[in-house]
Each structure stands twice: as C-alpha cells, then as structure tokens.
Amino acid sequence: MADIVVKTEDVVKEYRMGSNILRALDGINIEIERGEYISLMGPSGSGKSTLFNMIGALDRPTEGQVYIDGQNMAQLSQRQIAAFRCHRVGYIFQSYNLLHVRSAHGNVTLPMIFAGIPEKQRNEKAEGLLDMVGLGDRMYHLPDELSGGQRQRVAIARALANDPSIILADEPTANLDTITGREIIDLIKRLNREQGVTVISATHDLKMLDVSDRVVDIRDGLVERVRNRDEIDIEVGEVGDE
C-alpha cells in the first residue's frame, strides 16, 4: 500500500479583490507518496504557487482539506502549524530569502536555533550540510559575496537543517542561468534519492521534467493532467529528437 505523505481533498482557494472574487484553486485532489519528486507545472496565474502554499501550510484553503502524514492541517493551531513548518518542511524560494547580515553558516543554523538545537550540534550540522552542497570553503561568506547558484545552495542546506520529510521548492531555478539551474536541479534530485525526502517543486522550468517522478500540470486552478515517469521519458525523447 502506498505511503501517502500529502493528500488534498477538493481544495478551493478564493481571494476577494474589491467586489470580485478570484478563485485561484477550484477543487484540487492530489496524492503524493513519500520519497517522490513531484513538479507542479503551469503558466503564471495557473494556481500552482497557491497549491504550493496550501501544502506548505503557508496559507489555508477556503474550502477542502489538506492532509500531511494523515494530519488534517485545518485542525492545527497557529502554534502547531509553526512547529510543523519548522520541523517537517524545508522551503527553497526563488529569491533565496537569505538574511544578508548572516553568513552562509549563520543562515543554515537559523532554523535550528528556532528548533532549540544546542549550539555545538547546530554548528557541526551546518558545516556538514554546507560541505554536502559544495560550499565548505564559502560557509562564512555573506550572501552578497556569493553567486546566485551559491546562494541557492545555501538555501538548500538551510531547508535540510531540521531533517524535514518534505522539501518545497518554489521556482528554485528561476533566477539562475541554464548551467547553474541544471546543477541545482541535479543537487535537489540527488538529495531526494539519497535522503528519501519528498520534493514538491512549483516550476516553469522544463529541465525539471527529466528528474521528476510525476508532473502535475495545473491550469485555471484545476489539475489538467498528471504525467508519470514513463510518459515524461517519452516527451523528453521527443524534444531531444526535434
């Protein structure tokens, strides 16, 4: 039996804009298995980032339910949701969201401070994570002293700080050149395979196709289709033959 880590049931999200109501999600039903690499793809305004926010408990649905490891997120208090975000989910953002006054090492230790991890342990772990993402020689540099790809590597290390079961990556390659973006995709996939962490990425980047176990295409707030690994392989082959 599949080990379902994320499940949404008839998720609707509406935003009020003056006298108008915008329905960003219109009844989303998906299930994601533990250890999968899932890409949420769709044009701007399709609803993929809104769905991403629902899964990460960054926002609440207007209607419907979101379950993480069988827990109905609507039943959690704000304090419990904060704890969930701290311990269960690692976030990687398009704009990196690093604190510019803290070094790479300082940014990676920050989630561990909030989690109450002792100083010696968090310092050692931050060093190990930065080594793992290839920044062992840059860990005490400030973000402004790092390239875009290096900043995203810091963000990846930070996302792993509290051993999350889910990594949520929102357009992780959008601000990177093609080569660096490919390196970041490969790094996230390697972590997915080696650590068994579930990766859910909201993206426009077609390079995500060949590392994804499934691609969920979102359009007009609905799941348009779900493509499995074998279907993705065929499409990548067709693109390569053109």
Side-chain angles (χ1 to χ4, degrees):
M1 185 175 178
D3 184 3
I4 303 299
V5 65
V6 175
K7 180 179 181 180
T8 70
E9 291 185 347
D10 301 319
V11 167
V12 171
K13 182 62 180 180
E14 294 178 339
Y15 296 99
R16 183 171 293 277
M17 305 178 69
S19 60
N20 298 318
I21 294 178
L22 171 65
R23 180 164 283 206
L25 297 177
D26 195 16
I28 296 285
N29 292 284
I30 60 170
E31 291 184 349
I32 297 172
E33 296 180 18
R34 193 176 306 280
E36 277 196 292
Y37 192 122
I38 299 292
S39 289
L40 307 176
M41 302 194 80
S44 296
S46 62
K48 66 181 185 299
S49 292
T50 304
L51 177 58
F52 175 95
N53 290 339
M54 299 297 112
I55 294 171
L58 297 171
D59 200 355
R60 290 181 180 268
T62 307
E63 300 174 20
Q65 308 298 331
V66 177
Y67 297 88
I68 308 294
D69 280 333
Q71 171 67 61
N72 186 342
M73 302 306 291
Q75 296 176 346
L76 300 183
S77 67
Q78 287 299 321
R79 181 182 294 272
Q80 289 171 321
I81 287 176
F84 163 81
R85 289 198 293 251
C86 181
H87 295 281
R88 304 283 294 284
V89 180
Y91 300 91
I92 304 169
F93 297 100
Q94 174 182 345
S95 56
Y96 322 127
N97 285 14
L98 302 178
L99 292 181
H100 291 274
V101 296
R102 295 179 69 93
S103 67
H105 184 275
N107 271 280
V108 176
T109 59
L110 197 58
M112 293 184 273
I113 293 173
F114 294 141
I117 295 174
E119 182 177 3
K120 183 175 185 294
Q121 183 179 343
R122 64 179 183 254
N123 286 339
E124 290 174 352
K125 189 168 186 180
E127 291 173 5
L129 287 169
L130 287 164
D131 273 332
M132 182 176 65
V133 300
L135 289 178
D137 60 341
R138 308 282 288 178
M139 66 177 65
Y140 294 108
H141 286 66
L142 294 172
D144 288 346
E145 299 170 323
L146 302 174
S147 68
Q150 289 170 334
R151 292 182 197 182
Q152 197 60 294
R153 288 173 182 269
V154 175
I156 292 169
R158 181 186 58 190
L160 294 167
N162 288 334
D163 300 315
S165 57
I166 301 170
I167 292 288
L168 290 177
D170 189 11
E171 300 284 4
T173 62
N175 290 334
L176 305 175
D177 62 70
T178 301
I179 295 174
T180 305
R182 179 77 242 186
E183 291 173 352
I184 292 299
I185 291 170
D186 289 343
L187 174 58
I188 296 173
K189 182 60 179 180
R190 177 167 63 84
L191 296 172
N192 163 247
R193 286 174 174 162
E194 293 178 357
Q195 301 196 13
V197 63
T198 304
V199 175
I200 304 169
S201 178
T203 183
H204 286 93
D205 195 337
L206 293 178
K207 294 190 296 297
M208 290 288 190
L209 284 172
D210 61 351
V211 298
S212 302
D213 296 312
R214 289 189 295 157
V215 172
V216 179
D217 292 298
I218 309 291
R219 185 175 295 273
D220 298 327
L222 295 165
V223 175
E224 183 177 51
R225 61 176 174 167
V226 178
R227 289 174 283 171
N228 294 318
R229 176 74 253 182
D230 54 351
E231 298 170 287
I232 296 168
D233 285 336
I234 291 171
E235 291 187 19
V236 171
E238 289 173 348
V239 170
D241 291 339
E242 290 180 354

